Amino acid sequence: MADKTHRARITPEEALAYHMDPRPGKYDIVASTPMTTQRDLSLAYSPGVAVPVQAIADQPETAYDYTTKGNMVAVISNGTAILGMGNLGALASKPVMEGKAVLFKRFADVNAIDIELDTEDAEEIINAVRLMGPTFGGINLEDIKAPECFIIEQRLKELMDIPVFHDDQHGTAVICAAGLINALELSGKKIEDVRIVLNGAGAAGIACLELLKSMGARHENCIMCDTKGVIYQGRTEGMNQWKSAHAAVTDARSLEEAMKGADVFLGVSAKGAVTQEMVQSMAENPVIFAMANPDPEITPEDAHAVRPDAIVATGRSDYPNQVNNVLGFPYLFRGALDIHARAINDDMKIACARALAELAREDVPDEVAVAYGRKLQFGRDYIIPTPFDPRLIHVVPPAVAQAGMDTGVARRPIIDMEGYVQTLRARMDPTATILQGIHARARQKQARMIFAEGDDPRVLRAAVAWQRRGMGQALVVGRESDVKDKLAAEGLADAAREITVVNAGNSRHLDAYHEFLYARLQRKGVDREDAQKMANRDRHIFGALMLAHGHGDGLVTGATRKNAPVLAQIGHVFDLRPQDGAVGITGVLHNGRIVLIGDTLVHEWPEAEDLADIATRGAAVARGLGLEPRVAFLSFSNFGYPVSERAIKMAEAPKVLDQRGVDFEYEGEMTVDVALNPESAARYPFSRLTGPANVLVVPARHSASISVKLLQEMAGATVIGPILTGAPHPIQICSTTSTVNDILNMAAISAGGLGMIK
């Protein structure tokens, strides 16, 4: 069960800052073709563009070949039903629609543009969207109030020859159906036999019931309720044509009466709508989907208190079995777009639900379980896959696409389904998944994180975020008054009460710290007075002493001072020399790929044995990130040519690993293109690497630094690290250019113990 004390707190200031920085909004438009020379421009626009124009005029279906239409979705709203906030207007809905657009991209590599229509007239919306048909491969309607949403969707489906999908209706329905398939499997019941009660006769509720009926639920076994009670045949108050279609023949008039003996409860209504007495009256092994947000109709704790045999799902991420639309809409559209579908029909939605249900029954990859900090195994607390399961992208869209082809809505059927699955595997950028895993592991640890540089506003903001995101306790080294003033200047005055400030000048542990440091350094020319001054005056040393004495669980520092002197200062407290096994590994993420580069921190000029150590540390970090390591020892030569004494050690390092009998792939020496480019690698068929390398061992620290910074500055790569590995305690050192998020990432790496991998 979820621990409520660890739930993240998001402040208004954080939410506004997230949407404002580094520039307003949540996405950019980026060119996918070269735009550097006059020739490029001539091809992109006039005169070259005339050729695809004519081709599309002659054969309209080629628009999918020559434009972005085939991977472009419009996210459309008029802001009449924004989240749970009501009718706030089209402009106010824009942050939500931008968010939906980036979810499309993040989870299924679908390009999406948000469009907010400033009208509540259904006919105006229908006409506006219809006229945009040539631009898009699909339409995602969002946050439009009922009953207009029903009218708009139905008419657009009739008028347009591309998929039109109202996610508030069908997205919820698909995930609900997926969870129910597995819940009924676990409870030993069949959908055609169970009694279903649904509370909340809005867009989502009606869509849920309609989809379940199309999957086999019998009309006479289903009761729908709204704020006025049961929707029964003959009722006239508060009715419309969509509710009337689900009116039941029943004597029950209230939700309480309807719940007696029910097998399934589906809630898309309001907090507290279901009582423990109602749950107690349900049939054996009841299924309860309390999907109201942000608070469910009944909490899992309250439901299980009276019915331990219940299977419970909610819409919340801090409980098991989250009914989350992001499991559905990105993959439905991915599959539909890839067959150039004319529509998303019930068969495609059912295929999506069944694929999700089947995925939840499969063995969960270790990296997913690690990311969520608990064992995930098909059962009562795991009936729906987690949103960050990397298999979703290549499991769900093929099922959707196949259903679309089987039902005749595909313009361009997929011939090689296995090849299609492989292209889906290759689409996704691992960056977000990797970072999610790092932060999830850290959140599970609930570490007391020492932020050693309490005089830097970035560090203070990171410490506050650590505390408020439920990552653990933030311990900030600094002076109380200074920290308070700096937080106030950042608009975070109230956070001074949340974080713990540790002042080196008045710590009650100073005597113990002094003795410890003096004992370590007394034979290195440091007397007792020197040791006291070092502990009192150097925050890096003081933070390390806190960690050494168990007064914190992890340390992050280095944002205000270069790596080398920070490492040297911490080295007074811990053994962090090359001969002690310390190695710095930096993760570089770019264009959907990740490589780990080492050593970026400790070894100035490593020899063959050192290079082998670096490779082993890099392979361990790779596995900690969920990657199967493939190590390349880099040089300017390939396997002995051209001959150079500078490359000898890079050729010797693999021989050291041969002697050690390590359990990961490695090869070298080789140039970087041979390591990363399959076409270049094909010239060396004897290479032991089975694919592009993901751990790059370079000749020296200066070449590692140059490589990382060049990729960061010229290519805009995301850099994680350097990750200090081989340290006796969880310590991570930031760079002086670190942003608040960078510092948070390093703190999460420290807390998660990634650097502690041996």
Side-chain angles (χ1 to χ4, degrees):
M1 198 57 60
D3 184 347
K4 295 183 181 180
T5 63
H6 295 167
R7 289 180 187 160
R9 174 191 170 195
I10 297 175
T11 65
E13 294 83 3
E14 284 179 298
L16 292 175
Y18 178 88
H19 286 80
M20 185 181 294
D21 298 323
R23 47 189 168 270
K26 291 197 282 285
Y27 66 83
D28 291 323
I29 302 296
V30 179
S32 59
T33 54
M35 290 284 175
T36 54
T37 68
Q38 180 60 46
R39 179 175 175 78
D40 293 338
L41 298 179
S42 296
L43 287 167
Y45 198 57
S46 182
V49 75
V51 179
V53 166
Q54 189 60 54
I56 294 169
D58 295 339
Q59 292 182 285
E61 66 273 14
T62 60
Y64 287 91
D65 299 313
Y66 302 130
T67 75
T68 61
K69 179 180 175 70
N71 195 42
M72 183 70 74
V73 168
V75 179
I76 296 175
S77 181
N78 67 347
T80 52
I82 303 174
L83 302 176
M85 303 168 73
N87 185 352
L88 299 180
L91 185 60
S93 75
K94 188 168 177 61
V96 183
M97 300 312 118
E98 283 188 1
K100 198 63 175 276
V102 296
L103 290 178
F104 267 112
K105 189 65 176 177
R106 159 65 181 88
F107 287 100
D109 196 24
V110 172
N111 295 323
I113 298 290
D114 64 292
I115 297 172
E116 292 73 35
L117 299 175
D118 193 12
T119 179
E120 295 188 20
D121 187 300
E123 288 301 320
E124 287 187 339
I125 294 173
I126 291 165
N127 198 44
V129 176
R130 176 182 66 84
L131 294 174
M132 290 187 285
T135 306
F136 300 101
I139 303 294
N140 184 97
L141 302 172
E142 193 86 11
D143 289 0
I144 301 172
K145 70 181 177 70
E148 287 83 355
C149 63
F150 302 119
I151 299 167
I152 291 166
E153 185 195 33
Q154 185 57 45
R155 286 282 306 284
L156 288 174
K157 282 182 174 180
E158 295 168 359
L159 293 169
M160 303 184 78
D161 66 346
I162 57 175
V164 177
F165 185 83
H166 184 206
D167 190 48
D168 298 313
Q169 293 182 62
H170 310 298
T172 302
V174 167
I175 314 308
C176 175
L180 188 59
I181 289 169
N182 280 339
L184 294 180
E185 171 74 19
L186 289 166
S187 59
K189 300 177 182 180
K190 296 181 179 179
I191 193 168
E192 58 267 25
D193 298 330
V194 294
R195 285 191 52 219
I196 300 173
V197 175
L198 181 138
N199 193 49
I206 290 171
C208 284
L209 211 53
E210 286 179 348
L211 187 62
L212 294 180
K213 287 180 178 178
S214 69
M215 293 173 63
R218 290 157 56 188
H219 175 81
E220 59 269 26
N221 286 343
C222 300
I223 294 179
M224 178 182 286
C225 301
D226 61 10
T227 55
K228 300 182 186 303
V230 171
I231 295 171
Y232 58 90
Q233 287 191 8
R235 188 181 119 174
T236 57
E237 186 183 9
M239 296 295 286
N240 58 41
Q241 66 188 80
W242 297 279
K243 292 181 183 180
S244 296
H246 299 283
V249 177
T250 178
D251 294 329
R253 292 296 181 264
S254 67
L255 176 61
E256 183 178 11
E257 293 173 2
M259 289 279 278
K260 292 177 181 176
D263 298 285
V264 177
F265 169 78
L266 306 176
V268 278
S269 52
K271 174 184 178 181
V274 172
T275 65
Q276 289 183 314
E277 290 73 21
M278 293 181 191
V279 171
Q280 192 138 29
S281 73
M282 294 179 72
E284 184 181 354
N285 290 315
V287 176
I288 300 167
F289 282 22
M291 298 177 285
N293 260 324
D295 297 300
E297 285 82 359
I298 186 168
T299 65
E301 296 98 326
D302 287 346
H304 284 130
V306 295
R307 292 300 299 269
D309 60 335
I311 297 174
V312 185
T314 72
R316 292 179 61 136
S317 61
D318 51 358
Y319 287 119
N321 300 329
Q322 184 192 16
V323 179
N324 189 333
N325 284 21
V326 81
L327 287 165
F329 70 84
Y331 310 110
L332 269 166
F333 272 97
R334 179 75 276 152
L337 291 170
D338 290 338
I339 58 171
H340 303 177
R342 295 181 179 87
I344 293 175
N345 56 33
D346 278 353
D347 291 87
M348 295 163 78
K349 288 181 276 187
I350 293 170
C352 180
R354 286 179 175 154
L356 288 168
E358 289 168 9
L359 183 60
R361 300 181 195 187
E362 295 182 10
D363 186 46
V364 180
D366 289 343
E367 64 265 29
V368 178
V370 168
Y372 280 82
R374 61 186 177 92
K375 178 66 175 173
L376 297 176
Q377 185 175 16
F378 179 57
R380 291 172 175 266
D381 285 338
Y382 181 67
I383 59 173
I384 308 171
T386 60
F388 291 95
D389 192 320
R391 299 170 298 175
L392 288 163
I393 183 63
H394 61 82
V395 169
V396 181
V400 173
Q402 188 63 59
M405 292 187 288
D406 293 343
T407 53
V409 299
R411 286 188 183 86
R412 188 173 299 179
I414 295 167
I415 305 302
D416 179 8
M417 189 58 77
E418 183 55 39
Y420 174 54
V421 170
Q422 294 307 318
T423 64
L424 291 171
R425 288 179 189 270
R427 287 194 87 111
M428 296 314 299
D429 185 338
T431 307
T433 301
I434 287 171
L435 290 175
Q436 167 72 14
I438 288 170
H439 281 261
R441 283 193 293 269
R443 186 175 288 107
Q444 185 70 16
K445 295 284 187 180
Q446 287 297 300
R448 298 167 298 161
M449 185 55 54
I450 302 165
F451 294 85
E453 299 156 307
D455 60 340
D456 188 285
R458 294 168 300 162
V459 174
L460 290 177
R461 288 169 60 196
V464 171
W466 182 265
Q467 190 89 27
R468 289 183 172 178
R469 293 183 188 182
M471 305 294 286
Q473 183 183 3
L475 308 176
V476 175
V477 178
R479 292 183 293 110
E480 292 86 347
S481 59
D482 185 47
V483 168
K484 188 173 182 179
D485 290 344
K486 282 186 166 61
L487 285 172
E490 294 294 313
L492 294 168
D494 60 328
R497 297 188 300 272
E498 300 171 33
I499 63 174
T500 302
V501 180
V502 182
N503 190 333
N506 56 28
S507 169
R508 60 189 177 89
H509 302 296
L510 274 176
D511 288 344
Y513 292 174
H514 294 159
E515 288 303 315
F516 178 92
L517 194 60
Y518 177 58
R520 273 187 61 86
L521 303 180
Q522 60 189 350
R523 294 184 179 273
K524 297 179 181 179
V526 176
D527 62 24
R528 191 179 297 276
E529 185 178 351
D530 290 335
Q532 291 177 356
K533 289 178 180 177
M534 291 168 69
N536 292 359
R537 297 177 182 178
D538 190 287
R539 53 202 167 183
H540 310 292
I541 293 175
F542 183 83
L545 287 165
M546 286 179 64
L547 184 62
H549 286 77
H551 299 147
D553 303 311
L555 170 66
V556 60
T557 188
T560 63
R561 197 174 178 188
K562 292 188 180 297
N563 289 159
V566 171
L567 188 66
Q569 294 300 84
I570 297 175
H572 291 312
V573 181
F574 299 112
D575 295 329
L576 297 175
R577 299 167 301 172
Q579 58 266 42
D580 299 319
V583 171
I585 303 293
T586 295
V588 179
L589 304 100
H590 182 59
N591 281 349
R593 299 177 67 176
I594 177 168
V595 293
L596 304 175
I597 300 175
D599 181 351
T600 53
L601 185 63
V602 181
H603 292 78
E604 185 68 35
W605 183 252
E607 296 301 334
E609 289 281 345
D610 303 316
L611 292 166
D613 292 339
I614 294 167
T616 303
R617 294 287 186 205
V621 171
R623 285 184 169 144
L625 295 174
L627 305 170
E628 189 55 40
R630 291 187 293 272
V631 177
F633 292 92
L634 298 185
S635 182
F636 64 91
S637 58
N638 284 303
F639 305 106
Y641 181 82
V643 178
S644 170
E645 62 177 329
R646 293 279 184 174
I648 292 175
K649 67 176 184 178
M650 306 309 293
E652 291 296 320
K655 297 176 184 177
V656 176
L657 292 181
D658 289 342
Q659 295 170 357
R660 294 183 183 180
V662 296
D663 62 347
F664 54 84
E665 292 182 19
Y666 56 90
E667 189 57 279
E669 89 283 13
M670 62 177 64
T671 57
V672 70
D673 59 317
V674 173
L676 299 179
N677 188 325
E679 292 183 7
S680 299
R683 296 197 296 269
Y684 304 93
F686 55 82
S687 172
R688 290 176 287 190
L689 297 184
T690 60
N694 50 26
V695 179
L696 307 180
V697 180
V698 296
R701 197 173 82 194
H702 65 267
S703 52
S705 176
I706 291 168
S707 300
V708 169
K709 290 181 178 177
L710 186 63
L711 285 166
Q712 188 172 28
E713 293 301 320
M714 293 296 292
T718 298
V719 172
I720 302 175
I723 300 167
L724 178 61
T725 70
H729 287 76
I731 303 165
Q732 293 304 330
I733 300 174
C734 300
S735 71
T736 55
T737 58
S738 293
T739 65
V740 173
N741 274 339
D742 293 333
I743 297 168
L744 266 175
N745 287 338
M746 296 307 289
I749 288 169
S750 175
L754 189 59
M756 297 293 292
I757 299 169
K758 300 295 183 183

